[in-house]
Amino acid sequence: MLLQDNLTQAKNGEKISARGYAVTHKDDTFKPFDFTRHAMGENDILIEILYAGICHSDIHSARSEWKDGIYPMVPGHEIAGRVVAIGNKVSKFKVGDYAGVGCMVNSCGECEACKQSQEQFCENGKTIFTYDCLDCFHDNTPTYGGYSNNIVVSEKFALQVPQDAPLEKVAPLLCAGITTYSPLKFSKIKKGDKVAVAGFGGLGLMAVKYALYLGAEVSIFARNTLKMQEAKNLGVKALYTDTSECRERFDFIISTIPTAYDVNNYVDLLKFGGEMAIVGLPPVELKTHIDVTRLVFSAGKKVYGSLIGGIQETQEMLDISLKEGIYPEVEIIGVNDINKAYENLTNGKAKFRYVIDMKSLEG
Ligand code: NDP
Ligand code: ZN
């Protein structure tokens, strides 16, 4: 019924009505929320969302842990679904195709960063994030994410997904996958490199899988040993619960830790010239800083931050992951379980990735 309305709206150039789950303030729990999305432009596609992953960034955002959020907020930037309508100038998709959307839905397209498909770093400040962002291309209206039944997106920012792909596993690749794939590639990880992954959750698992795929020897730093069996099954060398236990030296460390921790304890574990990529984004009030004195005394080691990856690289990651069968471990939940999933992800009771089955919105 709703889909039929959306098709009529798309055809008539009207705003697209949508139903999702939102919080209305930082301490709120998720409740149903009806809203509208901008009308379809000639380069836009309308996607019926089938699955949406829950990323820890959704929790940071919903709880205003990085900045004051824009409410009501519908999070979700790991989106997989089916194309149900296309604008006149769309060439990448046809109705019926599978498509994905990650963390961004638009950017200026003209600056050096955008031209190099590093749209997340648009030099004109026009990266439009999938939710919790004002869309300057659409009258500064707020963007709403994937915990909903549809999304309108410029085809340039939608990822192509083959028809035989397991959509529920594709969704988390669009953030957890690209965010870990990109720095491993940037640091040119190769066969035999010693890699450590700090934080063994949604992102951490993907980092482990890509590092193993690249031929690295992988160790994990986790908060506890609860996922020891999973680590062993993957074929990692060791799982440490504290940096002080570790006597190894690494070529590369990727930190996906979402809470306060001492970055320098990890820098100390790098070989001379080794690199550490930080992707985990603890709440700002926890003030996770690098001690420059310690950094200078451990000279020659490189620490850098990394933010998702550009659209071109995301498509590359997706194609490789599907070809090689590199997938997240997912637990499918319904919309009514979102609040519980947030609790579990915060309290160390979650395994890897929760993915919402959007059919549950109808029930
Ligand atoms: P998850 O909650 O799925 O995983 C985080 C993992 O870190 C959990 O396994 C948790 O352990 C573990 N952990 C927590 N504290 C510590 C600690 N002190 N030492 C070791 N491990 C610890 O989160 P995600 O993987 O979805 O996201 C991780 C972080 O990455 C978030 O801050 C998120 O915002 C950020 N992020 C950044 C992106 C970027 O572009 N840079 C993109 C996407 C996400 P336990 O199992 O016990 O809870
Ligand atoms: Zn994310």
Side-chain angles (χ1 to χ4, degrees):
M1 195 61 197
L2 267 170
L3 180 62
Q4 201 48 50
D5 291 348
N6 288 159
L7 296 183
T8 310
Q9 290 160 339
K11 202 165 137 211
N12 296 340
E14 295 163 7
K15 287 190 173 174
I16 306 291
S17 54
R19 176 164 295 165
Y21 261 57
V23 282
T24 54
H25 57 85
K26 73 181 185 58
D27 302 311
D28 201 7
T29 51
F30 282 92
K31 296 178 190 75
F33 172 58
D34 288 329
F35 59 102
T36 55
R37 297 190 179 275
H38 65 74
M40 298 260 300
E42 50 192 12
N43 297 307
D44 291 338
I45 62 173
L46 173 63
I47 301 173
E48 177 192 12
I49 300 177
L50 300 175
Y51 294 100
I54 297 182
C55 174
H56 209 110
S57 298
D58 299 348
I59 302 178
H60 295 307
S61 305
R63 295 181 180 163
S64 286
E65 290 177 349
W66 298 330
K67 63 162 183 96
D68 287 338
I70 301 168
Y71 300 100
M73 189 191 299
V74 178
H77 57 205
E78 295 185 335
I79 299 168
R82 187 186 297 116
V83 177
V84 292
I86 59 171
N88 290 336
K89 292 200 175 156
V90 168
S91 58
K92 229 166 87 176
F93 296 93
K94 56 183 191 323
V95 169
D97 285 352
Y98 280 169
V101 180
C103 301
M104 305 177 272
V105 288
N106 222 331
S107 75
C108 90
E110 288 159 9
C111 69
E112 272 313 304
C114 287
K115 279 191 204 149
Q116 289 172 25
S117 194
Q118 292 287 320
E119 300 88 350
Q120 71 277 33
F121 303 123
C122 174
E123 289 161 19
N124 289 317
K126 292 187 177 172
T127 307
I128 308 298
F129 291 100
T130 306
Y131 66 88
D132 194 24
C133 184
L134 296 177
D135 183 351
C136 62
F137 299 102
H138 296 95
D139 307 319
N140 277 330
T141 49
T143 54
Y144 298 107
Y147 300 1
S148 60
N149 59 349
N150 65 37
I151 189 163
V152 181
V153 61
S154 155
E155 67 164 335
K156 215 175 130 192
F157 283 78
L159 290 310
Q160 291 173 294
V161 181
Q163 286 292 341
D164 55 354
L167 270 199
E168 72 285 5
K169 294 188 178 182
V170 163
L173 292 175
L174 301 167
C175 175
I178 182 60
T179 303
T180 50
Y181 174 88
S182 183
L184 283 161
K185 194 177 159 203
F186 186 77
S187 286
K188 302 188 174 61
I189 299 311
K190 56 182 187 317
K191 193 168 176 9
D193 281 352
K194 284 168 75 86
V195 166
V197 174
F200 190 37
L203 265 62
L205 175 75
M206 293 314 299
V208 169
K209 289 196 175 186
Y210 290 127
L212 288 170
Y213 164 68
L214 293 168
E217 180 191 279
V218 183
S219 297
I220 294 172
F221 289 89
R223 204 151 47 171
N224 49 53
T225 54
L226 288 173
K227 291 182 228 166
M228 181 64 93
Q229 195 51 50
E230 284 85 351
K232 280 190 180 151
N233 293 348
L234 287 163
V236 306
K237 187 181 171 219
L239 183 146
Y240 302 104
T241 53
D242 199 304
T243 45
S244 65
E245 293 168 4
C246 176
R247 299 283 168 266
E248 301 185 69
R249 287 286 177 273
F250 300 100
D251 296 289
F252 178 77
I253 300 176
I254 177 168
S255 171
T256 72
I257 298 175
T259 58
Y261 67 106
D262 192 335
V263 178
N264 288 89
N265 288 345
Y266 287 96
V267 177
D268 287 347
L269 296 178
L270 290 171
K271 288 181 189 166
F272 180 76
E275 297 182 10
M276 175 162 176
I278 298 181
V279 298
L281 274 164
V284 282
E285 67 173 29
L286 296 180
K287 301 198 192 315
T288 313
H289 289 151
I290 297 179
D291 177 339
V292 291
T293 313
R294 276 178 72 183
L295 188 64
V296 169
F297 273 88
S298 74
K301 301 173 181 180
K302 301 162 202 152
V303 181
Y304 67 91
S306 189
L307 182 68
I308 45 174
I311 293 296
Q312 210 174 296
E313 196 178 32
T314 305
Q315 187 69 58
E316 172 189 306
M317 170 282 311
L318 197 53
D319 296 346
I320 291 177
S321 304
L322 295 185
K323 182 165 163 270
E324 301 294 333
I326 304 174
Y327 291 117
E329 302 298 320
V330 304
E331 184 176 337
I332 309 285
I333 61 168
V335 280
N336 292 325
D337 305 319
I338 300 174
N339 293 312
K340 183 69 188 159
Y342 270 44
E343 222 181 285
N344 290 349
L345 280 160
T346 317
N347 300 335
K349 291 195 183 133
K351 277 232 151 136
F352 297 108
R353 226 9 157 221
Y354 290 111
V355 172
I356 311 165
D357 180 350
M358 278 309 153
K359 280 199 298 291
S360 61
L361 252 182
E362 294 157 16

